[in-house]
Amino acid sequence: MSSLLGRLAVGLLLAAGQLTTAYDLDPDSPDSVKSVSKDMAADLVSFYNGNQPGNTPGLLPDPYYWWEAGAMMGTLIDYWYYTGDDTYNDLTSQALLFQVGETNDYMPRNQTRTEGNDDQGFWGLSVMSAAEYKFPDPPADQPQWLALAQAVFNTQAARWDTEHCNGGLRWQIFTWNNGYDYKNSISQACFFALGARLALYTGNQSYADWADKTWDWMIATKLINTKNWAVYDGAGIETNCTVLTPYQFSYNVGGMILGAAAMYNMTESQTWKTRLDNLLEGSKVFFTGPNNNIMSEVACESVNTCNVDEHSFKAYLTRWLTMMIKWAPHTYDVIHPYLRASSVAAAKQCKGGANKRMCGLIWYDGKYDNTTGVGQQMAALEITMSNLILNSSSPVTADTGGTSVGDPGGGGDDIGRNQPKGPDYKPITGADKFGAAVLTLLAIATVVVAMGFIFLDETSPQGPVAQFKGFWSSASAAVATLAAGGGFAAAAAAGRRRSEKEKGIRINEKSILNNGESESSSKNPFSEPVMVTPDSIRHSVVSQRRLSNMPIGWPHNPSVRNSVVVAESSAAASSEDQRQR
Ligand SMILES: *[C@@H]1O[C@H](CO)[C@@H](O)[C@H](O)[C@H]1NC(C)=O
Ligand SMILES: *[C@@H]1O[C@H](CO)[C@@H](O)[C@H](O)[C@H]1NC(C)=O
Ligand SMILES: *[C@@H]1O[C@H](CO)[C@@H](O)[C@H](O)[C@H]1NC(C)=O
């Protein structure tokens, strides 16, 4: 008897050992999807403490940047929209309203050192979803979702820069930030999608005109490749955007798909349908695994180089592919099998952490990859919830039940401003004056020295003297910030920021190239290597181009100094897009 019990116990233990999967997701059962989503959402929110006393609403702790908190609030809006569970609504509203900044356009002073158009864009897209999904409106004395989205749009439209590359948004908003000389696809994609969605929601043609213009610019610069519908990372203004940074990240094509779907819904035109269908085909490069149907951040996953930002990109590709289905229902049959298979794979690998159900980054091999984070958790939650798309209400517009109040002129004096106002710290009071003066002098010295390191780029084709000319204008901006009350804390923040920005994992271009070569044998005819084909690259003396999602200051790692650029062939000019017009 006792030996039988013993054997049973051993058997059970063994079974438990095999049964290490926390989630048994049935993608066809809304109850199963909701139950898994509930746990994944709780685990996502466990990374956030901005709602706790003494903390700042809308900020994630280190190492997450400001923009990712805005993106995460978008995921929590999605969570409520797909599941109906309002557990996190208050936390979400609090964060979205705390970070609006003084002109209600997501340009809070504290973020002037990191905020690019893409960062602001992510917050803008989150409040746009709040308006479209009828997320509970804020009290009347608070900024409203639609008005916030419009203010983000207005400030960005004013930054459209025709001086270089015949248009486009620069990555950075403020002249003194590293990256002001780069026009990246995700900034354009956020602006494009926001414009398209505002056009659809409000019926105002001005937004649609901007979306058209952004699309045309992406095609003209070849950041969208009209042969294979790859969307590349960006281009620098020093070459008039003729040299592209060839990496493909999933959120770039995702953002363009989102905007194209909204434009298609609004115009019902064949032109937008063709563009959307082409991009959708191009996005299949991000599905790998034995059946090429499991979503993967291919540029970095297989070589283990994804940084903190990149851990979250699949969340946005998923979110935007899923929203696309509502605006372009014919795409459901194309994309649903991919989302469904990816959701099962994603849930299967969530076995990490103390609770044995935290999700890792890699979905395609059924193994937990020993990573956890906001990005991993967001992506797994979004792909799980995508199974509920047919059970969810359609996004509204102002004419079909939308209640969010707009402000077409929002953005205030942030419109056209490219110098920072300075951070949000308490102004120095009279009693502090002497000490403050001393500290400020010290701070200026510290900043000036620190900025020398930040702005002197050893790989720049400019000599140090030319660089220092630019540096002095940056330094004077820093002094202006200090004069605005930044004081010592600003200098400390500058120092901290530099080291934070260097924490990110760097892309190892050697392994990427090898990866690219092996991928070129892929069976999918559309999937040209995600990075670059070996014969389309050349080593160049042009300075190392930072990836726009890379930490600012990247790379300071000598082993990755060799530059890789696309040699653009002008023969590629015969674009499908032009033919179809
Ligand atoms: C800006 O930073 C200060 C100091 O940490 C903080 O008190 C304030 O709440 C922050 N404001 C925002 C909008 O994050
Ligand atoms: C930069 O490229 C645009 C087209 O994208 C062209 O119109 C413009 O003349 C170019 N500018 C320079 C200085 O080459
Ligand atoms: C339409 O949008 C434009 C651009 O933001 C704005 O200037 C204009 O006032 C809007 N028109 C209406 C009727 O809201």
Short mmCIF file of all heavy atoms in Angstrom, two decimals, residues 471-511:
data_model
loop_
_atom_site.label_atom_id
_atom_site.label_comp_id
_atom_site.label_asym_id
_atom_site.label_seq_id
_atom_site.Cartn_x
_atom_site.Cartn_y
_atom_site.Cartn_z
N PHE A 471 28.98 72.02 -30.58
CA PHE A 471 28.92 71.75 -29.15
C PHE A 471 28.64 73.02 -28.34
O PHE A 471 27.88 73.01 -27.39
CB PHE A 471 30.22 71.07 -28.73
CG PHE A 471 30.61 71.29 -27.30
CD1 PHE A 471 29.82 70.77 -26.28
CD2 PHE A 471 31.75 71.99 -26.99
CE1 PHE A 471 30.19 70.96 -24.96
CE2 PHE A 471 32.11 72.18 -25.68
CZ PHE A 471 31.33 71.67 -24.65
N TRP A 472 29.23 74.15 -28.78
CA TRP A 472 29.02 75.37 -28.00
C TRP A 472 27.57 75.82 -28.04
O TRP A 472 27.05 76.28 -27.05
CB TRP A 472 29.96 76.50 -28.47
CG TRP A 472 31.30 76.34 -27.84
CD1 TRP A 472 32.47 76.07 -28.47
CD2 TRP A 472 31.60 76.38 -26.44
NE1 TRP A 472 33.49 75.93 -27.56
CE2 TRP A 472 32.97 76.11 -26.29
CE3 TRP A 472 30.83 76.59 -25.29
CZ2 TRP A 472 33.61 76.06 -25.06
CZ3 TRP A 472 31.46 76.54 -24.06
CH2 TRP A 472 32.83 76.28 -23.95
N SER A 473 26.91 75.63 -29.19
CA SER A 473 25.50 76.02 -29.20
C SER A 473 24.71 75.09 -28.29
O SER A 473 23.77 75.49 -27.64
CB SER A 473 24.95 76.01 -30.62
OG SER A 473 24.95 74.71 -31.13
N SER A 474 25.12 73.83 -28.22
CA SER A 474 24.48 72.90 -27.31
C SER A 474 24.72 73.32 -25.88
O SER A 474 23.82 73.30 -25.03
CB SER A 474 25.04 71.49 -27.50
OG SER A 474 24.90 71.10 -28.82
N ALA A 475 25.96 73.70 -25.62
CA ALA A 475 26.30 74.07 -24.25
C ALA A 475 25.51 75.30 -23.83
O ALA A 475 25.04 75.38 -22.70
CB ALA A 475 27.80 74.35 -24.16
N SER A 476 25.29 76.23 -24.76
CA SER A 476 24.53 77.41 -24.36
C SER A 476 23.09 77.04 -24.09
O SER A 476 22.44 77.62 -23.22
CB SER A 476 24.64 78.51 -25.41
OG SER A 476 24.27 78.01 -26.67
N ALA A 477 22.57 76.03 -24.80
CA ALA A 477 21.22 75.56 -24.49
C ALA A 477 21.19 74.98 -23.08
O ALA A 477 20.24 75.19 -22.32
CB ALA A 477 20.78 74.50 -25.49
N ALA A 478 22.27 74.28 -22.71
CA ALA A 478 22.34 73.71 -21.37
C ALA A 478 22.34 74.81 -20.33
O ALA A 478 21.66 74.73 -19.31
CB ALA A 478 23.60 72.86 -21.23
N VAL A 479 23.09 75.87 -20.62
CA VAL A 479 23.15 76.99 -19.68
C VAL A 479 21.77 77.62 -19.56
O VAL A 479 21.32 77.95 -18.46
CB VAL A 479 24.21 78.01 -20.14
CG1 VAL A 479 24.13 79.26 -19.28
CG2 VAL A 479 25.59 77.39 -20.04
N ALA A 480 21.06 77.74 -20.69
CA ALA A 480 19.72 78.30 -20.65
C ALA A 480 18.82 77.45 -19.76
O ALA A 480 18.03 77.96 -18.96
CB ALA A 480 19.14 78.38 -22.05
N THR A 481 18.96 76.13 -19.89
CA THR A 481 18.17 75.23 -19.06
C THR A 481 18.47 75.45 -17.60
O THR A 481 17.57 75.53 -16.76
CB THR A 481 18.51 73.77 -19.41
OG1 THR A 481 18.27 73.59 -20.79
CG2 THR A 481 17.67 72.82 -18.60
N LEU A 482 19.76 75.59 -17.28
CA LEU A 482 20.14 75.79 -15.89
C LEU A 482 19.57 77.10 -15.37
O LEU A 482 19.05 77.18 -14.27
CB LEU A 482 21.67 75.79 -15.77
CG LEU A 482 22.29 74.43 -16.05
CD1 LEU A 482 23.78 74.56 -16.29
CD2 LEU A 482 22.01 73.48 -14.90
N ALA A 483 19.62 78.11 -16.23
CA ALA A 483 19.10 79.42 -15.83
C ALA A 483 17.61 79.31 -15.55
O ALA A 483 17.07 80.01 -14.71
CB ALA A 483 19.36 80.44 -16.92
N ALA A 484 16.94 78.41 -16.25
CA ALA A 484 15.51 78.24 -16.05
C ALA A 484 15.21 77.50 -14.76
O ALA A 484 14.07 77.16 -14.48
CB ALA A 484 14.90 77.50 -17.23
N GLY A 485 16.18 77.20 -13.96
CA GLY A 485 15.93 76.58 -12.67
C GLY A 485 16.41 75.15 -12.61
O GLY A 485 16.13 74.43 -11.66
N GLY A 486 17.13 74.72 -13.60
CA GLY A 486 17.60 73.33 -13.63
C GLY A 486 18.58 73.05 -12.51
O GLY A 486 18.48 72.04 -11.83
N GLY A 487 19.51 73.95 -12.32
CA GLY A 487 20.46 73.84 -11.21
C GLY A 487 21.24 72.56 -11.22
O GLY A 487 21.44 71.92 -12.25
N PHE A 488 21.64 72.20 -10.04
CA PHE A 488 22.55 71.09 -9.89
C PHE A 488 21.92 69.77 -10.34
O PHE A 488 22.58 68.93 -10.92
CB PHE A 488 22.96 70.99 -8.42
CG PHE A 488 24.18 70.15 -8.22
CD1 PHE A 488 25.42 70.62 -8.64
CD2 PHE A 488 24.10 68.91 -7.63
CE1 PHE A 488 26.55 69.85 -8.47
CE2 PHE A 488 25.22 68.14 -7.45
CZ PHE A 488 26.46 68.62 -7.87
N ALA A 489 20.64 69.66 -10.06
CA ALA A 489 19.96 68.41 -10.39
C ALA A 489 20.04 68.13 -11.89
O ALA A 489 20.17 66.99 -12.31
CB ALA A 489 18.51 68.48 -9.95
N ALA A 490 19.97 69.18 -12.68
CA ALA A 490 20.03 68.99 -14.13
C ALA A 490 21.38 68.42 -14.54
O ALA A 490 21.46 67.52 -15.37
CB ALA A 490 19.79 70.31 -14.84
N ALA A 491 22.42 68.95 -13.91
CA ALA A 491 23.75 68.45 -14.24
C ALA A 491 23.90 67.00 -13.82
O ALA A 491 24.42 66.17 -14.56
CB ALA A 491 24.80 69.31 -13.55
N ALA A 492 23.38 66.71 -12.63
CA ALA A 492 23.44 65.33 -12.15
C ALA A 492 22.66 64.43 -13.11
O ALA A 492 23.11 63.35 -13.47
CB ALA A 492 22.85 65.24 -10.75
N ALA A 493 21.51 64.94 -13.54
CA ALA A 493 20.70 64.14 -14.45
C ALA A 493 21.44 63.90 -15.76
O ALA A 493 21.38 62.82 -16.32
CB ALA A 493 19.37 64.84 -14.72
N ALA A 494 22.16 64.91 -16.23
CA ALA A 494 22.91 64.75 -17.48
C ALA A 494 23.95 63.66 -17.33
O ALA A 494 24.12 62.83 -18.22
CB ALA A 494 23.57 66.07 -17.86
N GLY A 495 24.62 63.64 -16.20
CA GLY A 495 25.63 62.62 -15.97
C GLY A 495 25.00 61.24 -15.89
O GLY A 495 25.47 60.29 -16.52
N ARG A 496 23.87 61.17 -15.18
CA ARG A 496 23.20 59.89 -15.01
C ARG A 496 22.73 59.39 -16.37
O ARG A 496 22.86 58.24 -16.72
CB ARG A 496 22.02 60.06 -14.07
CG ARG A 496 21.41 58.76 -13.63
CD ARG A 496 20.45 58.97 -12.48
NE ARG A 496 19.33 59.80 -12.85
CZ ARG A 496 19.03 60.97 -12.30
NH1 ARG A 496 19.77 61.45 -11.34
NH2 ARG A 496 17.98 61.66 -12.68
N ARG A 497 22.19 60.32 -17.14
CA ARG A 497 21.64 59.95 -18.42
C ARG A 497 22.68 59.33 -19.33
O ARG A 497 22.42 58.36 -20.02
CB ARG A 497 21.08 61.20 -19.07
CG ARG A 497 20.62 60.96 -20.47
CD ARG A 497 20.06 62.25 -21.03
NE ARG A 497 20.03 62.16 -22.47
CZ ARG A 497 19.21 61.35 -23.11
NH1 ARG A 497 18.38 60.59 -22.44
NH2 ARG A 497 19.22 61.30 -24.43
N ARG A 498 23.87 59.88 -19.29
CA ARG A 498 24.90 59.36 -20.17
C ARG A 498 25.17 57.89 -19.85
O ARG A 498 25.22 57.06 -20.74
CB ARG A 498 26.17 60.18 -20.02
CG ARG A 498 27.27 59.65 -20.89
CD ARG A 498 28.36 60.66 -21.13
NE ARG A 498 29.24 60.16 -22.15
CZ ARG A 498 30.34 59.47 -21.87
NH1 ARG A 498 30.67 59.22 -20.63
NH2 ARG A 498 31.09 59.02 -22.84
N SER A 499 25.28 57.59 -18.55
CA SER A 499 25.59 56.21 -18.23
C SER A 499 24.40 55.30 -18.51
O SER A 499 24.56 54.18 -18.95
CB SER A 499 26.04 56.08 -16.78
OG SER A 499 25.07 56.60 -15.93
N GLU A 500 23.19 55.81 -18.28
CA GLU A 500 22.01 55.00 -18.60
C GLU A 500 21.99 54.65 -20.07
O GLU A 500 21.71 53.54 -20.46
CB GLU A 500 20.74 55.81 -18.33
CG GLU A 500 20.18 55.62 -16.96
CD GLU A 500 19.06 56.60 -16.69
OE1 GLU A 500 18.40 57.03 -17.65
OE2 GLU A 500 18.86 56.94 -15.52
N LYS A 501 22.26 55.67 -20.88
CA LYS A 501 22.15 55.48 -22.31
C LYS A 501 23.19 54.50 -22.83
O LYS A 501 23.08 54.01 -23.92
CB LYS A 501 22.32 56.83 -23.02
CG LYS A 501 21.12 57.72 -22.87
CD LYS A 501 19.99 57.25 -23.75
CE LYS A 501 18.82 58.22 -23.71
NZ LYS A 501 17.67 57.70 -24.42
N GLU A 502 24.21 54.26 -22.05
CA GLU A 502 25.23 53.33 -22.52
C GLU A 502 24.98 51.91 -22.06
O GLU A 502 25.73 51.02 -22.39
CB GLU A 502 26.61 53.81 -22.06
CG GLU A 502 27.04 55.02 -22.85
CD GLU A 502 28.38 55.53 -22.44
OE1 GLU A 502 28.88 55.09 -21.37
OE2 GLU A 502 28.95 56.32 -23.16
N LYS A 503 23.91 51.74 -21.31
CA LYS A 503 23.62 50.40 -20.79
C LYS A 503 23.09 49.46 -21.85
O LYS A 503 23.20 48.26 -21.72
CB LYS A 503 22.59 50.49 -19.66
CG LYS A 503 23.22 50.28 -18.30
CD LYS A 503 22.16 50.08 -17.27
CE LYS A 503 21.68 51.42 -16.74
NZ LYS A 503 20.60 51.31 -15.77
N GLY A 504 22.48 50.03 -22.87
CA GLY A 504 21.79 49.19 -23.85
C GLY A 504 22.69 48.17 -24.51
O GLY A 504 23.89 48.37 -24.65
N ILE A 505 22.09 47.09 -24.92
CA ILE A 505 22.85 46.06 -25.63
C ILE A 505 23.10 46.55 -27.04
O ILE A 505 22.22 47.05 -27.70
CB ILE A 505 22.04 44.75 -25.66
CG1 ILE A 505 21.83 44.24 -24.25
CG2 ILE A 505 22.72 43.71 -26.53
CD1 ILE A 505 20.74 43.21 -24.15
N ARG A 506 24.32 46.42 -27.51
CA ARG A 506 24.63 46.87 -28.86
C ARG A 506 24.44 45.77 -29.86
O ARG A 506 24.67 44.61 -29.59
CB ARG A 506 26.09 47.34 -28.94
CG ARG A 506 26.30 48.71 -28.40
CD ARG A 506 26.57 48.63 -26.95
NE ARG A 506 26.89 49.94 -26.40
CZ ARG A 506 27.02 50.18 -25.12
NH1 ARG A 506 26.81 49.22 -24.24
NH2 ARG A 506 27.33 51.36 -24.70
N ILE A 507 24.03 46.18 -31.02
CA ILE A 507 23.93 45.24 -32.13
C ILE A 507 25.33 44.85 -32.58
O ILE A 507 26.18 45.70 -32.79
CB ILE A 507 23.16 45.88 -33.29
CG1 ILE A 507 21.70 46.00 -32.89
CG2 ILE A 507 23.37 45.10 -34.55
CD1 ILE A 507 20.75 45.39 -33.83
N ASN A 508 25.52 43.58 -32.70
CA ASN A 508 26.79 43.09 -33.22
C ASN A 508 26.61 42.86 -34.71
O ASN A 508 25.97 41.91 -35.14
CB ASN A 508 27.16 41.79 -32.50
CG ASN A 508 28.46 41.22 -33.01
OD1 ASN A 508 28.86 41.51 -34.14
ND2 ASN A 508 29.11 40.44 -32.21
N GLU A 509 27.15 43.77 -35.49
CA GLU A 509 26.84 43.73 -36.91
C GLU A 509 27.40 42.51 -37.61
O GLU A 509 26.84 42.03 -38.58
CB GLU A 509 27.34 45.01 -37.58
CG GLU A 509 26.44 46.17 -37.21
CD GLU A 509 26.98 47.50 -37.60
OE1 GLU A 509 28.03 47.53 -38.25
OE2 GLU A 509 26.36 48.50 -37.27
N LYS A 510 28.51 41.98 -37.09
CA LYS A 510 29.07 40.76 -37.70
C LYS A 510 28.05 39.64 -37.68
O LYS A 510 27.77 39.03 -38.68
CB LYS A 510 30.33 40.33 -36.94
CG LYS A 510 31.58 40.94 -37.50
CD LYS A 510 32.71 39.92 -37.48
CE LYS A 510 33.99 40.56 -37.97
NZ LYS A 510 34.65 41.35 -36.92
N SER A 511 27.49 39.40 -36.50
CA SER A 511 26.57 38.27 -36.42
C SER A 511 25.31 38.56 -37.22
O SER A 511 24.69 37.65 -37.76
CB SER A 511 26.22 37.94 -34.98
OG SER A 511 26.23 39.09 -34.18
#
